Amino acid sequence: MSTDILATVAFDDQGYLQNPADWTPELAEALAAQEGIQLTEKHWQVIRFCRAKAAETGKSPTLRQISLGTGIPTKELFQLFPKGPAKRVARIAGLKKPEGCI
Amino acid sequence: MTKTLLILGAGTGGTMVANKMAHHLDLTEWRIVVVDRDEKHYYQPGFLFIPFGMYAATDVVRPKRNFLPPTVEVIFSPVERIEPERNRVYLQRDNRVLHYDYLVIATGSHIHPEETPGLVDGGGWMKNIFTFYSLDGAVQLAKFLKFWKGGRLVLNVAEMPIKCPVAPLEFLFLADWFFHERGIRDKVEIVYATPLPGAFTKPRASAVLGHLLEERHIHLVPDFYLMEVDTGKQVIRSYDGQEVPYDLLVSVPVNMGAQVIRDSGLGDELGFVPIDKHTLQSTQWENIWVIGDAGNAPTSKAGSVAHFMLDVVVENLLRHMEGLEPLPKFDGHANCFIESGFDKGILIDFNYEVEPLPGKYPLPGIGPFSLLKESHVNHWGKMLFRWFYWNVLLKGGDMPFESQMSMAGKWV
């Protein structure tokens, strides 16, 4: 698969999609590939949940929300999306960077 | 018929709302009732100083009743359940049921160390594992530190959000100073393991604070998502298998909203009440308002924020009572004195949109406080703040700061 698709859309300075309407499943595949992740059905389950949750709340879900919402244990989420699943999924799912709760 | 304004929680937020509303409402028409489970008011910013012997427990506790106006009815009881569809609150004490016309939720956020396997049930709790997020924990830690000969001190934040997100940094800076004073700094390794990608969430403050950590030889372990505490091996372990060994573990446990919020189905997955982040009204119920860290507004869960929310909550309650639309005035304003040890402090001032920037505060160009920079004056500001808290702030008196953040005096 070509990653040229990434050149056709705009990202912000932290690598998150600028215009959410640009997102397509193919783009998700390309973004995941860029991070060395081959998307499986389980990955898609997480991505679909995050997109639905973000559509509902206007915010990218937290790790706790993802684990509770999908029933996938946090440890497994780290295997699916290594090093900070909440941020990684948000990027691949075409969502905003999760809000730093400070 | 008299109408009822019911306030749940008499901490910083609830106490301020009670004082302000008692002043604004016609008390022949309105009854104000405050419910809290605990008769003691804790000055929570003071917990930080207890482990280092700077404050004693008696410095941070006062009777709650002293800070509430005599015209307000106060009931000390745990709250069983809130039933928003019938405007009712069920109390544990005498099985009382209270009806309300307006409800202000000020039930705060609370630590849940039992959420992390091994933290409490691993046998190390209050032996070589402590938290300074409770008065008891802070006092026990003070006893431990008094005679500690040194070793590896690990401070860990389990999960965000937490109450007062700068407190962990202050603890580290004060620990560095404390061990220097005791002459054992060379025998103590200080490590900070945090789920954040750096010292702080906002980039410019993170850079400044990260630099201060380095300067003090405090080792930062970022992106560390705590899974469990292995007390046998004396390590904390993350979800992706990183292990950080400790001799002394200081934990900032998982923070959640009050149990009653979760039991009443009013909270999100952490028990924080979903609110409109600008009006502070519940997104579900139009006669419910939230102040302080009980809500899910994406700003700091800190007393200064509750203070900046106060005017917005009070004005919007009064407007709503008159049938007017609430105003979206809250901007996420937070203002934190960060103790950095050696009688110095840093001040940061920010909101939803603007990250902490350098400058002078509150008077542009003059100060006396310096923003995002260490100074002695900042430290004394923090020390004097306790007096202001007990004597002015809780009673809803005027503080010399504006509720909305100002860009004047900030260097962009």
Side-chain angles (χ1 to χ4, degrees):
Chain A
M1 192 184 61
S2 145
T3 49
D4 287 344
I5 186 171
L6 295 174
T8 63
V9 292
F11 296 94
D12 67 14
D13 51 5
Q14 296 191 78
Y16 292 82
L17 204 58
Q18 212 136 47
N19 180 6
D22 287 342
W23 188 84
T24 58
E26 293 73 38
L27 187 70
E29 301 272 4
L31 284 167
Q34 196 187 33
E35 305 203 17
I37 299 169
Q38 173 82 43
L39 295 182
T40 63
E41 179 45 35
K42 209 136 208 186
H43 290 96
W44 276 109
Q45 191 191 336
V46 177
I47 293 170
R48 279 193 297 269
F49 169 80
C50 291
R51 287 186 58 83
K53 189 84 183 168
E56 175 196 326
T57 64
K59 286 185 263 189
S60 300
T62 62
L63 192 54
R64 185 176 279 262
Q65 285 172 328
I66 299 170
S67 178
L68 280 170
T70 58
I72 299 173
T74 309
K75 192 167 181 171
E76 203 179 325
L77 289 173
F78 270 89
Q79 286 156 5
L80 293 168
F81 300 94
K83 299 206 180 259
K87 274 183 279 184
R88 278 226 156 146
V89 184
R91 194 171 166 268
I92 294 170
L95 306 172
K96 284 182 275 186
K97 187 182 177 185
E99 272 167 5
C101 299
I102 82 156
Chain B
M1 211 185 85
T2 353
K3 287 174 279 185
T4 303
L5 166 65
L6 178 58
I7 301 169
L8 297 183
T12 310
T15 301
M16 291 189 299
V17 172
N19 278 291
K20 279 270 183 182
M21 291 306 283
H23 173 75
H24 284 290
L25 289 179
D26 177 351
L27 297 176
T28 59
E29 260 180 56
W30 284 91
R31 180 169 84 114
I32 303 177
V33 184
V34 179
V35 179
D36 198 295
R37 62 179 181 180
D38 194 337
E39 296 189 22
K40 294 188 197 105
H41 189 113
Y42 299 94
Y43 175 60
Q44 296 181 67
F47 291 2
L48 170 73
F49 298 114
I50 291 175
F52 308 107
M54 298 165 75
Y55 281 3
T58 49
D59 292 326
V60 298
V61 185
R62 300 275 186 278
K64 276 194 164 130
R65 194 64 183 96
N66 292 6
F67 303 98
L68 293 160
T71 47
V72 164
E73 186 187 336
V74 185
I75 304 169
F76 290 111
S77 164
V79 181
E80 289 273 303
R81 193 158 43 90
I82 303 165
E83 212 175 64
E85 53 285 336
R86 291 164 78 186
N87 295 332
R88 280 182 184 170
V89 166
Y90 296 79
L91 305 189
Q92 210 172 75
R93 187 170 167 180
D94 308 326
N95 294 318
R96 265 181 89 172
V97 182
L98 300 175
H99 171 89
Y100 62 81
D101 294 281
Y102 284 89
L103 180 68
V104 174
I105 295 177
T107 45
S109 63
H110 307 271
I111 56 164
H112 287 271
E114 75 286 352
E115 282 279 309
T116 302
L119 191 52
V120 180
D121 55 7
W125 189 244
M126 300 290 186
K127 293 196 179 76
N128 66 340
I129 304 176
F130 301 89
T131 181
F132 62 97
Y133 269 60
S134 72
L135 180 56
D136 182 44
V139 169
Q140 299 303 324
L141 179 54
K143 288 183 188 162
F144 179 92
L145 284 179
K146 207 167 176 178
F147 301 109
W148 196 41
K149 291 194 172 70
R152 200 170 146 92
L153 161 63
V154 175
L155 175 65
N156 171 250
V157 172
E159 181 175 337
M160 295 302 283
I162 56 165
K163 195 180 330 218
C164 192
V166 297
L169 293 169
E170 299 185 272
F171 183 90
L172 295 164
F173 294 141
L174 286 173
D176 169 66
W177 163 80
F178 176 81
F179 296 126
H180 261 291
E181 293 286 300
R182 288 202 37 217
I184 58 167
R185 182 62 183 91
D186 58 332
K187 298 198 171 56
V188 181
E189 223 182 313
I190 306 179
V191 180
Y192 179 34
T194 169
L196 295 175
F200 203 60
T201 47
K202 310 270 171 169
R204 279 176 77 171
S206 190
V208 171
L209 295 164
H211 181 68
L212 284 176
L213 290 180
E214 258 173 51
E215 239 177 51
R216 287 160 168 77
H217 305 288
I218 297 166
H219 179 59
L220 179 70
V221 183
D223 297 312
F224 186 93
Y225 295 85
L226 179 68
M227 179 173 72
E228 62 187 2
V229 180
D230 183 339
T231 48
K233 218 173 146 189
Q234 293 214 156
V235 297
I236 53 173
R237 194 169 292 123
S238 71
Y239 284 108
D240 49 2
Q242 292 181 70
E243 290 186 351
V244 175
Y246 65 86
D247 295 310
L248 165 60
L249 176 62
V250 178
S251 163
V252 181
V254 174
N255 277 227
M256 289 189 188
Q259 187 67 42
V260 61
I261 301 300
R262 284 177 283 150
D263 291 349
S264 309
L266 273 167
D268 61 15
E269 46 295 308
L270 281 168
F272 296 119
V273 185
I275 54 170
D276 180 301
K277 68 179 187 178
H278 295 296
T279 65
L280 309 177
Q281 186 179 31
S282 152
T283 51
Q284 259 180 303
W285 306 95
E286 65 167 334
N287 62 340
I288 297 184
W289 303 76
V290 181
I291 188 163
D293 50 359
N296 76 341
T299 181
S300 287
K301 296 193 171 302
S304 73
V305 177
H307 172 71
F308 294 131
M309 286 175 164
L310 175 66
D311 287 341
V312 181
V313 167
V314 167
E315 186 181 357
N316 280 341
L317 274 170
L318 295 170
R319 286 179 65 89
H320 198 272
M321 288 167 178
E322 295 300 324
L324 300 170
E325 282 292 303
L327 296 175
K329 276 182 145 175
F330 183 65
D331 62 358
H333 192 186
N335 179 293
C336 316
F337 283 105
I338 306 170
E339 269 297 291
S340 54
F342 300 93
D343 294 341
K344 284 189 193 171
I346 302 158
L347 182 64
I348 56 175
D349 190 59
F350 55 103
N351 68 11
Y352 289 140
E353 310 298 332
V354 180
E355 63 165 319
L357 295 171
K360 289 284 184 185
Y361 187 86
L363 300 177
I366 296 168
F369 302 118
S370 307
L371 293 169
L372 202 51
K373 185 171 174 275
E374 276 195 290
S375 85
H376 287 286
V377 177
N378 290 341
H379 164 72
W380 291 113
K382 177 139 188 148
M383 293 291 116
L384 285 173
F385 183 72
R386 183 168 53 132
W387 186 89
F388 270 98
Y389 182 86
W390 293 125
N391 295 287
V392 182
L393 185 123
L394 283 180
K395 294 178 180 170
D398 286 331
M399 298 287 285
F401 317 113
E402 290 293 322
S403 289
Q404 279 72 34
M405 201 202 72
S406 163
M407 281 308 286
K410 292 194 169 67
W411 305 328
V412 184

